[in-house]
Amino acid sequence: MKTAEIAQRYLDFFEKNDHVIVPSASLVSDDPSLLFTVAGMVPFIPYLNGTVPPPYRRAADVQKCIRTNDIEEVGKTARHGTFFQMLGNWSFGDYFKEGAISYAWELLTSSEADGGLGFAERDLWVTVYEDDDEAAGLWQRIAGLPVERIQRLGREDNYWSTGQPGPAGPCSEIYFDRGPAYGREGGPAVDDSRFTEIWNLVFMQYAITNVRSKIDFDIVGELPNKNIDTGMGLERVAFIKQGVDNMYETDQVRPVLDRAVELSGRTYGAVHEDDVRFRVIADHVRSSLMLLSDGVTPSNEGRGYILRRLMRRSIRAMRLLGVDGPTFPDLFTASRDAMKDAYPVVETDWSRISQYAIAEEETFLRTLASGSTILDLAVSQTKDAGGSSIAGEEAFLLHDTYGFPIDLTLEVAEEAGLTVDRAAFDRLMHEQRARAKADAKSRKRAIADLSVYSRYRAQGETIFTGYSDLETESTVLGILVDGVSVDRASGGQIAEVILAETALYAESGGQVADKGVIVGPGYELDVLDVQKPVPGLVSHTVEVTSGEVGVGQPATTVVDAANRRAARQAHSATHLVHAALRDTLGKTATQAGSLNRAGYMRFDFSWGQALSDATKSEIEEIANNAVRDNLEVTTRVLPLDEAKAAGAMALFGEKYGSTVRMVDIGGPWSRELCAGTHVSTSAEIGLISLVGESSVGASNRRVEALVGLDAFRSLAAERAIVSQLTSSLKTPRDQLAARIADLQAQLKAAEKKIASFEAKSLGDRLPALVGSAATVGSHRVIAESLGAAASADDVRSLALQARDRLGSDAAVVALGAVVGERPVVVVATNDAARAAGAKAGVLAKAAAAALGGGGGGRDDVAQGGGTDAAALPAALAAVTAALGGA
């Protein structure tokens, strides 16, 4: 039974049983404390904890998930994968334990001919929470399971919570017995390799508080509405139904594994280490494909870092299988073909997805090449110094700065007969992870308890009137100070104010929040920010500038009209620039993010190279022609499917409901899903002036523009500068560029001549330097400060010349100088000095320490520097002292 068929049977079964079928949410979670949708219940959390009223009583879905906390286990077990699909059925105050158990047992054990999954009853075991007599009794009554196949486990295994105060409850897990070949008898309590969990039924019935750990908390009572949250692992059911040993061999994953086998020329099933690598590749490539399809792009932070890590682990695994060249064109194509029936977007958006994947592989292959060069130098220096271990700091630098995998560092070191200080590396990694966890924890604390908004959201969605009105009368529904609900706020306090209606736009879709005030009888509030803390609810962060505001009082929101007008211009300009980009570069130049505020817009798009000046001018001209043509701007609210069928573009990462707002500028020329505020006709934008174009990733570019009056003021300022230059240089405007280029050439020639004079001046000092040589220990030593020098290269050249003049006896030259206000010391040694133990790199480090900096280099010539120019005499003395002890 194919994976897609299992999913469809699941949805058909629950639809037949009056469940609303909900499409999968994005892998990019709405929850700001999560990078990804890590479990099937994540999109339903607002309904489960009562923050947002559920739009249906019962639902079912197939949810895409990404989880990387067990990434080191991928490929080693039958069930660990970073991307997985969770089948879920949900009840919000409707059916409870009996219904959940009945539905699960019926679907699992009904014959395939009747639309079920056809599991044999004898192969199924269940676990229940140790005190849940009700669930145990229902399993006996509904499924006829004998007591010995119903095992009771404690909180660690069979009690669910979010880890925060709120809803929680016991759960019941269903296991499949894979048979004696996979482990011991005795059920899931004894061996969870043989007995594989396939479905978890969570009975959310209690409220908990004082959460001290996963198993240590206080139950404070029953919930008014008991909910059902279930999750069945699609991949786990698939590998059982398809008769294979693990999820990597199922129909949606195996094609990637097979292609990796073909590319490597090795055999799957022959060597355990190779098998693990093949599975890692199959899993990680599929996960990367799905993340890319949801708009995540590789980067060095957040979600992009996780994606980059998955992709680079795949490349590394292929390298360990003997493949050094590009593989992603083959591997991603295989994954696309395996997943496109379930997720058509991977095919329809293939051009963009493949562009990112191939660019990332090319970048990392270059990283491996450059990292190998740096590592080779570290190996050489370690050996030359008589060491046997590469410093953990060096290995961490390669990993953290260059993305060079630690296992490759270990491999190269071993080939060179060295080890790596793994303890130091692991300590640095632990410190980095601790910092990341602390940062994540602080973010989670900042938004930890959204339940405070539930009482306001339960009264309905906040009505936004700002599309048509700049002032709206309403009522104060609630006031929060420091996250706590209060009755009133007075002068000087910062508070959140919840209203029934508002004309103030809440930040979303790239458009920043409106500015304005909220006024009422005896009070005035300055609006600092407007946000949507939970879907459908608008919160105004305000400063009470006069009077006192209380719950239940009348309130009028007043939008700053000038700021709103400029923000509308910027947002509409963003749509025009997007359309102009697609006209100029083609349909693959898709939006990857935007920001609009009064007078300014920035737009990120998928593109792999810098735009030429001619291309930027063309984009700017197309956008401004659209302004000139005074195109009509229209908005329509319609079903999402209808909008997509009409060609409306959606922003990756944005969440859309079943009904959306579509904005047209000039009809289909610019047609996007957008909830932002816009001008009525394009001429209202006034002017668009591109002021920047830059890279924001391997395959992402960013254009920035000023809009309206801000664009005019910028161009007027440039005009004034040009006028000043034409006057100062006494050159016509059309000849200005040539005149400046001529002046630059003259300046460069003059600088070259000055450098030549300075170098000759230094060279003239050579005889005196040689004459200053003194004997230190067994070495002839020159240790002199040159004063100011044009470049470190000049100092190096003089040091080498002086060394050669000292003959074949052991000689060391240390010259100091100030280059561009920073001190530099160059050390040169000859063969005899090195044979006697004087190494330039060691001496340069000693000098640099006195300068408050660092240094090093080869044994024959090295350089150090720092920040304290006054310490040059001490730095040269440090070289002499080091030689005296040699």
Side-chain angles (χ1 to χ4, degrees), residues 505 507-515 562-574 594-603 677 691 702 704-711:
Y505 184 81
E507 180 179 0
S508 62
Q511 182 174 331
V512 302
D514 273 335
K515 295 180 179 180
N563 182 77
R564 166 68 79 80
R565 185 185 308 112
R568 290 166 58 209
Q569 290 173 313
H571 203 153
S572 297
T574 304
S594 66
L595 174 69
N596 318 286
R597 63 170 183 260
Y600 170 86
M601 60 139 287
R602 90 173 178 225
F603 186 84
T677 62
V691 293
R702 170 174 292 169
E704 297 174 89
L706 297 176
V707 182
L709 276 176
D710 289 74

Side-chain angles (χ1 to χ4, degrees), residues 39 69 115 120 170 304 365 423 433 447 457 498 502 510 609 622 672 716:
N69 55 325
L365 290 175
R433 289 183 182 126
I447 49 85
R457 182 61 180 82
I498 313 296
T502 183
Q609 60 191 30
I622 292 172
E672 301 190 31

